[in-house]
mmCIF file of all heavy atoms in Angstrom:
data_model
loop_
_atom_site.group_PDB
_atom_site.id
_atom_site.type_symbol
_atom_site.label_atom_id
_atom_site.label_comp_id
_atom_site.label_asym_id
_atom_site.label_seq_id
_atom_site.Cartn_x
_atom_site.Cartn_y
_atom_site.Cartn_z
ATOM 1 N N LYS A 1 143.308 379.985 168.126
ATOM 2 C CA LYS A 1 142.278 380.348 169.114
ATOM 3 C C LYS A 1 142.885 380.422 170.510
ATOM 4 O O LYS A 1 142.633 381.366 171.255
ATOM 5 C CB LYS A 1 141.139 379.329 169.098
ATOM 6 C CG LYS A 1 140.184 379.481 167.971
ATOM 7 C CD LYS A 1 139.056 378.457 168.120
ATOM 8 C CE LYS A 1 138.059 378.556 167.007
ATOM 9 N NZ LYS A 1 136.967 377.578 167.148
ATOM 10 N N ASN A 2 143.691 379.409 170.854
ATOM 11 C CA ASN A 2 144.317 379.389 172.178
ATOM 12 C C ASN A 2 145.287 380.549 172.371
ATOM 13 O O ASN A 2 145.520 380.980 173.492
ATOM 14 C CB ASN A 2 145.053 378.064 172.400
ATOM 15 C CG ASN A 2 144.103 376.907 172.603
ATOM 16 O OD1 ASN A 2 142.947 377.091 172.983
ATOM 17 N ND2 ASN A 2 144.575 375.701 172.331
ATOM 18 N N ALA A 3 145.839 381.054 171.277
ATOM 19 C CA ALA A 3 146.754 382.193 171.350
ATOM 20 C C ALA A 3 146.008 383.525 171.441
ATOM 21 O O ALA A 3 146.621 384.578 171.554
ATOM 22 C CB ALA A 3 147.677 382.196 170.139
ATOM 23 N N GLY A 4 144.664 383.487 171.363
ATOM 24 C CA GLY A 4 143.879 384.702 171.547
ATOM 25 C C GLY A 4 143.385 385.358 170.278
ATOM 26 O O GLY A 4 142.875 386.477 170.314
ATOM 27 N N TYR A 5 143.517 384.679 169.130
ATOM 28 C CA TYR A 5 143.044 385.247 167.866
ATOM 29 C C TYR A 5 141.627 384.760 167.570
ATOM 30 O O TYR A 5 141.328 383.578 167.720
ATOM 31 C CB TYR A 5 143.962 384.842 166.704
ATOM 32 C CG TYR A 5 145.364 385.349 166.862
ATOM 33 C CD1 TYR A 5 146.390 384.514 167.285
ATOM 34 C CD2 TYR A 5 145.675 386.678 166.593
ATOM 35 C CE1 TYR A 5 147.682 384.984 167.433
ATOM 36 C CE2 TYR A 5 146.962 387.152 166.737
ATOM 37 C CZ TYR A 5 147.958 386.298 167.157
ATOM 38 O OH TYR A 5 149.248 386.767 167.306
ATOM 39 N N ASN A 6 140.773 385.680 167.140
ATOM 40 C CA ASN A 6 139.415 385.337 166.734
ATOM 41 C C ASN A 6 139.464 384.947 165.260
ATOM 42 O O ASN A 6 139.418 385.806 164.380
ATOM 43 C CB ASN A 6 138.470 386.515 166.948
ATOM 44 C CG ASN A 6 137.046 386.199 166.570
ATOM 45 O OD1 ASN A 6 136.755 385.173 165.958
ATOM 46 N ND2 ASN A 6 136.145 387.084 166.921
ATOM 47 N N ILE A 7 139.545 383.661 164.987
ATOM 48 C CA ILE A 7 139.712 383.197 163.609
ATOM 49 C C ILE A 7 138.436 383.340 162.785
ATOM 50 O O ILE A 7 138.454 383.133 161.577
ATOM 51 C CB ILE A 7 140.233 381.752 163.554
ATOM 52 C CG1 ILE A 7 139.268 380.802 164.246
ATOM 53 C CG2 ILE A 7 141.628 381.668 164.154
ATOM 54 C CD1 ILE A 7 139.565 379.349 163.981
ATOM 55 N N ASP A 8 137.335 383.707 163.428
ATOM 56 C CA ASP A 8 136.095 383.955 162.684
ATOM 57 C C ASP A 8 136.124 385.311 161.978
ATOM 58 O O ASP A 8 135.290 385.579 161.127
ATOM 59 C CB ASP A 8 134.883 383.881 163.610
ATOM 60 C CG ASP A 8 134.702 382.481 164.185
ATOM 61 O OD1 ASP A 8 134.977 381.502 163.459
ATOM 62 O OD2 ASP A 8 134.305 382.369 165.354
ATOM 63 N N LYS A 9 137.071 386.152 162.360
ATOM 64 C CA LYS A 9 137.189 387.472 161.728
ATOM 65 C C LYS A 9 138.325 387.432 160.722
ATOM 66 O O LYS A 9 139.484 387.191 161.075
ATOM 67 C CB LYS A 9 137.435 388.548 162.775
ATOM 68 C CG LYS A 9 136.248 388.733 163.681
ATOM 69 C CD LYS A 9 136.327 389.996 164.471
ATOM 70 C CE LYS A 9 135.064 390.103 165.314
ATOM 71 N NZ LYS A 9 134.751 391.465 165.617
ATOM 72 N N PHE A 10 137.993 387.663 159.474
ATOM 73 C CA PHE A 10 138.958 387.618 158.379
ATOM 74 C C PHE A 10 138.591 388.715 157.397
ATOM 75 O O PHE A 10 137.419 388.874 157.055
ATOM 76 C CB PHE A 10 138.901 386.248 157.682
ATOM 77 C CG PHE A 10 139.835 386.135 156.520
ATOM 78 C CD1 PHE A 10 141.144 385.738 156.709
ATOM 79 C CD2 PHE A 10 139.411 386.427 155.240
ATOM 80 C CE1 PHE A 10 142.016 385.628 155.632
ATOM 81 C CE2 PHE A 10 140.269 386.324 154.155
ATOM 82 C CZ PHE A 10 141.576 385.923 154.359
ATOM 83 N N ARG A 11 139.579 389.477 156.958
ATOM 84 C CA ARG A 11 139.311 390.557 156.005
ATOM 85 C C ARG A 11 140.563 390.845 155.194
ATOM 86 O O ARG A 11 141.628 390.307 155.472
ATOM 87 C CB ARG A 11 138.852 391.813 156.733
ATOM 88 C CG ARG A 11 139.894 392.397 157.662
ATOM 89 C CD ARG A 11 139.348 393.567 158.483
ATOM 90 N NE ARG A 11 140.322 394.022 159.445
ATOM 91 C CZ ARG A 11 141.307 394.869 159.211
ATOM 92 N NH1 ARG A 11 141.463 395.375 157.996
ATOM 93 N NH2 ARG A 11 142.148 395.231 160.149
ATOM 94 N N GLU A 12 140.387 391.688 154.191
ATOM 95 C CA GLU A 12 141.526 392.158 153.403
ATOM 96 C C GLU A 12 141.778 393.621 153.735
ATOM 97 O O GLU A 12 140.852 394.367 154.055
ATOM 98 C CB GLU A 12 141.248 391.982 151.916
ATOM 99 C CG GLU A 12 141.132 390.527 151.519
ATOM 100 C CD GLU A 12 140.992 390.316 150.031
ATOM 101 O OE1 GLU A 12 141.406 391.198 149.250
ATOM 102 O OE2 GLU A 12 140.465 389.251 149.656
ATOM 103 N N ASP A 13 143.044 394.024 153.675
ATOM 104 C CA ASP A 13 143.435 395.399 153.985
ATOM 105 C C ASP A 13 144.707 395.686 153.187
ATOM 106 O O ASP A 13 145.105 394.888 152.358
ATOM 107 C CB ASP A 13 143.686 395.537 155.494
ATOM 108 C CG ASP A 13 143.449 396.943 156.011
ATOM 109 O OD1 ASP A 13 143.848 397.914 155.335
ATOM 110 O OD2 ASP A 13 142.868 397.086 157.106
ATOM 111 N N THR A 14 145.336 396.805 153.467
ATOM 112 C CA THR A 14 146.640 397.095 152.898
ATOM 113 C C THR A 14 147.581 397.475 154.030
ATOM 114 O O THR A 14 147.169 398.066 155.031
ATOM 115 C CB THR A 14 146.609 398.246 151.861
ATOM 116 O OG1 THR A 14 146.076 399.406 152.486
ATOM 117 C CG2 THR A 14 145.786 397.881 150.659
ATOM 118 N N TYR A 15 148.842 397.129 153.867
ATOM 119 C CA TYR A 15 149.872 397.489 154.832
ATOM 120 C C TYR A 15 151.097 397.929 154.046
ATOM 121 O O TYR A 15 151.595 397.191 153.202
ATOM 122 C CB TYR A 15 150.205 396.296 155.737
ATOM 123 C CG TYR A 15 151.328 396.566 156.690
ATOM 124 C CD1 TYR A 15 151.188 397.516 157.686
ATOM 125 C CD2 TYR A 15 152.532 395.901 156.583
ATOM 126 C CE1 TYR A 15 152.223 397.785 158.565
ATOM 127 C CE2 TYR A 15 153.576 396.151 157.450
ATOM 128 C CZ TYR A 15 153.409 397.099 158.440
ATOM 129 O OH TYR A 15 154.435 397.373 159.311
ATOM 130 N N GLU A 16 151.540 399.139 154.313
ATOM 131 C CA GLU A 16 152.656 399.739 153.584
ATOM 132 C C GLU A 16 152.434 399.659 152.077
ATOM 133 O O GLU A 16 153.342 399.349 151.307
ATOM 134 C CB GLU A 16 153.977 399.102 154.001
ATOM 135 C CG GLU A 16 154.312 399.384 155.463
ATOM 136 C CD GLU A 16 155.677 398.903 155.886
ATOM 137 O OE1 GLU A 16 156.328 398.125 155.139
ATOM 138 O OE2 GLU A 16 156.103 399.294 156.976
ATOM 139 N N GLY A 17 151.199 399.895 151.656
ATOM 140 C CA GLY A 17 150.848 399.948 150.249
ATOM 141 C C GLY A 17 150.645 398.604 149.576
ATOM 142 O O GLY A 17 150.407 398.551 148.371
ATOM 143 N N LYS A 18 150.726 397.510 150.331
ATOM 144 C CA LYS A 18 150.582 396.177 149.748
ATOM 145 C C LYS A 18 149.333 395.492 150.293
ATOM 146 O O LYS A 18 149.003 395.649 151.467
ATOM 147 C CB LYS A 18 151.809 395.325 150.071
ATOM 148 C CG LYS A 18 153.086 395.866 149.461
ATOM 149 C CD LYS A 18 154.254 394.987 149.805
ATOM 150 C CE LYS A 18 155.539 395.544 149.209
ATOM 151 N NZ LYS A 18 156.697 394.760 149.591
ATOM 152 N N PRO A 19 148.656 394.713 149.453
ATOM 153 C CA PRO A 19 147.454 394.004 149.910
ATOM 154 C C PRO A 19 147.810 392.943 150.957
ATOM 155 O O PRO A 19 148.829 392.260 150.846
ATOM 156 C CB PRO A 19 146.907 393.339 148.646
ATOM 157 C CG PRO A 19 147.750 393.773 147.518
ATOM 158 C CD PRO A 19 148.939 394.492 148.046
ATOM 159 N N THR A 20 146.964 392.855 151.977
ATOM 160 C CA THR A 20 147.176 391.887 153.050
ATOM 161 C C THR A 20 145.871 391.216 153.441
ATOM 162 O O THR A 20 144.781 391.727 153.173
ATOM 163 C CB THR A 20 147.756 392.559 154.311
ATOM 164 O OG1 THR A 20 146.869 393.592 154.737
ATOM 165 C CG2 THR A 20 149.131 393.116 154.083
ATOM 166 N N TYR A 21 146.026 390.061 154.089
ATOM 167 C CA TYR A 21 144.921 389.404 154.777
ATOM 168 C C TYR A 21 145.094 389.704 156.255
ATOM 169 O O TYR A 21 146.215 389.688 156.774
ATOM 170 C CB TYR A 21 144.967 387.892 154.589
ATOM 171 C CG TYR A 21 144.803 387.419 153.174
ATOM 172 C CD1 TYR A 21 145.805 386.696 152.549
ATOM 173 C CD2 TYR A 21 143.627 387.660 152.461
ATOM 174 C CE1 TYR A 21 145.661 386.234 151.250
ATOM 175 C CE2 TYR A 21 143.476 387.212 151.156
ATOM 176 C CZ TYR A 21 144.496 386.495 150.562
ATOM 177 O OH TYR A 21 144.350 386.044 149.275
ATOM 178 N N VAL A 22 143.985 389.961 156.939
ATOM 179 C CA VAL A 22 144.027 390.221 158.373
ATOM 180 C C VAL A 22 143.111 389.213 159.061
ATOM 181 O O VAL A 22 141.949 389.061 158.685
ATOM 182 C CB VAL A 22 143.564 391.661 158.708
ATOM 183 C CG1 VAL A 22 143.635 391.910 160.211
ATOM 184 C CG2 VAL A 22 144.404 392.682 157.950
ATOM 185 N N VAL A 23 143.636 388.550 160.072
ATOM 186 C CA VAL A 23 142.864 387.583 160.838
ATOM 187 C C VAL A 23 142.791 388.058 162.281
ATOM 188 O O VAL A 23 143.817 388.361 162.887
ATOM 189 C CB VAL A 23 143.511 386.187 160.794
ATOM 190 C CG1 VAL A 23 142.726 385.192 161.643
ATOM 191 C CG2 VAL A 23 143.634 385.696 159.363
ATOM 192 N N GLY A 24 141.564 388.155 162.808
ATOM 193 C CA GLY A 24 141.406 388.421 164.226
ATOM 194 C C GLY A 24 140.696 389.696 164.616
ATOM 195 O O GLY A 24 140.324 389.849 165.774
ATOM 196 N N ALA A 25 140.495 390.636 163.685
ATOM 197 C CA ALA A 25 139.895 391.912 164.087
ATOM 198 C C ALA A 25 139.227 392.602 162.907
ATOM 199 O O ALA A 25 139.587 392.376 161.757
ATOM 200 C CB ALA A 25 140.952 392.832 164.686
ATOM 201 N N ASP A 26 138.276 393.450 163.235
ATOM 202 C CA ASP A 26 137.613 394.273 162.228
ATOM 203 C C ASP A 26 138.532 395.420 161.809
ATOM 204 O O ASP A 26 139.527 395.716 162.481
ATOM 205 C CB ASP A 26 136.315 394.857 162.800
ATOM 206 C CG ASP A 26 135.278 393.788 163.101
ATOM 207 O OD1 ASP A 26 135.166 392.820 162.321
ATOM 208 O OD2 ASP A 26 134.580 393.919 164.128
ATOM 209 N N ALA A 27 138.167 396.092 160.720
ATOM 210 C CA ALA A 27 138.927 397.252 160.245
ATOM 211 C C ALA A 27 138.988 398.322 161.322
ATOM 212 O O ALA A 27 138.028 398.534 162.068
ATOM 213 C CB ALA A 27 138.282 397.806 158.978
ATOM 214 N N ASN A 28 140.131 398.963 161.434
ATOM 215 C CA ASN A 28 140.380 400.062 162.377
ATOM 216 C C ASN A 28 140.321 399.635 163.844
ATOM 217 O O ASN A 28 140.208 400.476 164.721
ATOM 218 C CB ASN A 28 139.431 401.238 162.129
ATOM 219 C CG ASN A 28 139.596 401.801 160.744
ATOM 220 O OD1 ASN A 28 140.714 402.028 160.292
ATOM 221 N ND2 ASN A 28 138.497 402.002 160.044
ATOM 222 N N ASP A 29 140.388 398.347 164.121
ATOM 223 C CA ASP A 29 140.445 397.841 165.492
ATOM 224 C C ASP A 29 141.884 397.443 165.775
ATOM 225 O O ASP A 29 142.362 396.428 165.295
ATOM 226 C CB ASP A 29 139.515 396.638 165.656
ATOM 227 C CG ASP A 29 139.617 395.998 167.037
ATOM 228 O OD1 ASP A 29 140.392 396.500 167.886
ATOM 229 O OD2 ASP A 29 138.930 394.994 167.268
ATOM 230 N N PHE A 30 142.582 398.264 166.541
ATOM 231 C CA PHE A 30 143.966 397.977 166.881
ATOM 232 C C PHE A 30 144.108 397.624 168.360
ATOM 233 O O PHE A 30 145.188 397.719 168.932
ATOM 234 C CB PHE A 30 144.859 399.166 166.509
ATOM 235 C CG PHE A 30 144.792 399.492 165.048
ATOM 236 C CD1 PHE A 30 144.073 400.590 164.597
ATOM 237 C CD2 PHE A 30 145.406 398.680 164.111
ATOM 238 C CE1 PHE A 30 143.982 400.885 163.243
ATOM 239 C CE2 PHE A 30 145.324 398.957 162.752
ATOM 240 C CZ PHE A 30 144.607 400.068 162.321
ATOM 241 N N THR A 31 142.997 397.206 168.980
ATOM 242 C CA THR A 31 143.001 396.839 170.397
ATOM 243 C C THR A 31 142.730 395.351 170.597
ATOM 244 O O THR A 31 142.589 394.907 171.724
ATOM 245 C CB THR A 31 141.944 397.654 171.164
ATOM 246 O OG1 THR A 31 140.650 397.332 170.666
ATOM 247 C CG2 THR A 31 142.198 399.145 171.031
ATOM 248 N N THR A 32 142.667 394.604 169.510
ATOM 249 C CA THR A 32 142.373 393.177 169.553
ATOM 250 C C THR A 32 143.533 392.409 168.929
ATOM 251 O O THR A 32 144.127 392.868 167.950
ATOM 252 C CB THR A 32 141.071 392.894 168.761
ATOM 253 O OG1 THR A 32 140.026 393.696 169.307
ATOM 254 C CG2 THR A 32 140.673 391.448 168.843
ATOM 255 N N SER A 33 143.838 391.243 169.468
ATOM 256 C CA SER A 33 144.906 390.419 168.894
ATOM 257 C C SER A 33 144.573 390.070 167.451
ATOM 258 O O SER A 33 143.461 389.652 167.136
ATOM 259 C CB SER A 33 145.079 389.135 169.706
ATOM 260 O OG SER A 33 145.566 389.425 170.988
ATOM 261 N N GLN A 34 145.568 390.261 166.564
ATOM 262 C CA GLN A 34 145.366 390.020 165.136
ATOM 263 C C GLN A 34 146.711 389.840 164.458
ATOM 264 O O GLN A 34 147.735 390.250 164.978
ATOM 265 C CB GLN A 34 144.629 391.195 164.499
ATOM 266 C CG GLN A 34 145.355 392.514 164.657
ATOM 267 C CD GLN A 34 144.478 393.700 164.346
ATOM 268 O OE1 GLN A 34 144.365 394.078 163.182
ATOM 269 N NE2 GLN A 34 143.865 394.275 165.360
ATOM 270 N N PHE A 35 146.705 389.192 163.294
ATOM 271 C CA PHE A 35 147.927 389.090 162.517
ATOM 272 C C PHE A 35 147.631 389.390 161.056
ATOM 273 O O PHE A 35 146.534 389.170 160.572
ATOM 274 C CB PHE A 35 148.629 387.735 162.687
ATOM 275 C CG PHE A 35 147.825 386.530 162.314
ATOM 276 C CD1 PHE A 35 147.913 385.973 161.051
ATOM 277 C CD2 PHE A 35 147.004 385.920 163.249
ATOM 278 C CE1 PHE A 35 147.189 384.842 160.718
ATOM 279 C CE2 PHE A 35 146.275 384.788 162.929
ATOM 280 C CZ PHE A 35 146.369 384.241 161.655
ATOM 281 N N TRP A 36 148.628 389.942 160.389
ATOM 282 C CA TRP A 36 148.516 390.416 159.011
ATOM 283 C C TRP A 36 149.476 389.603 158.143
ATOM 284 O O TRP A 36 150.651 389.449 158.474
ATOM 285 C CB TRP A 36 148.889 391.890 158.935
ATOM 286 C CG TRP A 36 147.997 392.821 159.702
ATOM 287 C CD1 TRP A 36 147.582 392.689 160.998
ATOM 288 C CD2 TRP A 36 147.426 394.031 159.242
ATOM 289 N NE1 TRP A 36 146.795 393.748 161.362
ATOM 290 C CE2 TRP A 36 146.684 394.596 160.294
ATOM 291 C CE3 TRP A 36 147.483 394.715 158.041
ATOM 292 C CZ2 TRP A 36 146.002 395.784 160.187
ATOM 293 C CZ3 TRP A 36 146.794 395.916 157.924
ATOM 294 C CH2 TRP A 36 146.067 396.435 158.977
ATOM 295 N N ILE A 37 148.970 389.108 157.015
ATOM 296 C CA ILE A 37 149.729 388.269 156.097
ATOM 297 C C ILE A 37 149.796 388.950 154.729
ATOM 298 O O ILE A 37 148.766 389.381 154.206
ATOM 299 C CB ILE A 37 149.054 386.889 155.933
ATOM 300 C CG1 ILE A 37 148.881 386.195 157.273
ATOM 301 C CG2 ILE A 37 149.804 386.024 154.923
ATOM 302 C CD1 ILE A 37 150.153 385.729 157.904
ATOM 303 N N ASP A 38 150.996 389.056 154.163
ATOM 304 C CA ASP A 38 151.154 389.594 152.812
ATOM 305 C C ASP A 38 150.363 388.712 151.847
ATOM 306 O O ASP A 38 150.539 387.488 151.816
ATOM 307 C CB ASP A 38 152.642 389.594 152.437
ATOM 308 C CG ASP A 38 152.884 390.100 151.035
ATOM 309 O OD1 ASP A 38 152.779 389.282 150.090
ATOM 310 O OD2 ASP A 38 153.179 391.290 150.867
ATOM 311 N N LYS A 39 149.462 389.316 151.094
ATOM 312 C CA LYS A 39 148.557 388.565 150.224
ATOM 313 C C LYS A 39 149.291 387.858 149.095
ATOM 314 O O LYS A 39 148.965 386.720 148.744
ATOM 315 C CB LYS A 39 147.497 389.513 149.651
ATOM 316 C CG LYS A 39 146.399 388.830 148.886
ATOM 317 C CD LYS A 39 145.316 389.815 148.473
ATOM 318 C CE LYS A 39 144.226 389.147 147.680
ATOM 319 N NZ LYS A 39 143.163 390.105 147.320
ATOM 320 N N LYS A 40 150.300 388.471 148.514
ATOM 321 C CA LYS A 40 151.000 387.881 147.379
ATOM 322 C C LYS A 40 151.939 386.759 147.804
ATOM 323 O O LYS A 40 151.952 385.676 147.224
ATOM 324 C CB LYS A 40 151.786 388.962 146.629
ATOM 325 C CG LYS A 40 152.565 388.427 145.448
ATOM 326 C CD LYS A 40 153.358 389.523 144.761
ATOM 327 C CE LYS A 40 154.194 388.944 143.628
ATOM 328 N NZ LYS A 40 155.091 389.946 143.066
ATOM 329 N N ASN A 41 152.752 387.024 148.828
ATOM 330 C CA ASN A 41 153.800 386.075 149.224
ATOM 331 C C ASN A 41 153.449 385.202 150.425
ATOM 332 O O ASN A 41 154.198 384.287 150.761
ATOM 333 C CB ASN A 41 155.094 386.839 149.508
ATOM 334 C CG ASN A 41 155.571 387.576 148.292
ATOM 335 O OD1 ASN A 41 155.883 386.967 147.277
ATOM 336 N ND2 ASN A 41 155.609 388.899 148.358
#
């Protein structure tokens, strides 16, 4: 939270063809601080 991420926003997406978790932003929002985690690893 202190780093600027909205931890209340959590979703699944894909990145480079792999499933990911996204924390911090809604789908198609690339103007908000967010981080993407590889779902498998």
Side-chain angles (χ1 to χ4, degrees):
K1 282 183 180 180
N2 288 338
Y5 298 102
N6 181 349
I7 60 168
D8 296 324
K9 293 195 178 206
F10 178 87
R11 63 186 175 84
E12 294 186 23
D13 207 318
T14 57
Y15 176 65
E16 295 186 347
K18 296 180 181 177
T20 58
Y21 296 119
V22 181
V23 178
D26 294 322
N28 300 313
D29 175 1
F30 301 104
T31 63
T32 304
S33 293
Q34 59 195 275
F35 59 94
W36 297 49
I37 304 290
D38 178 275
K39 188 174 179 178
K40 179 182 177 187
N41 299 298

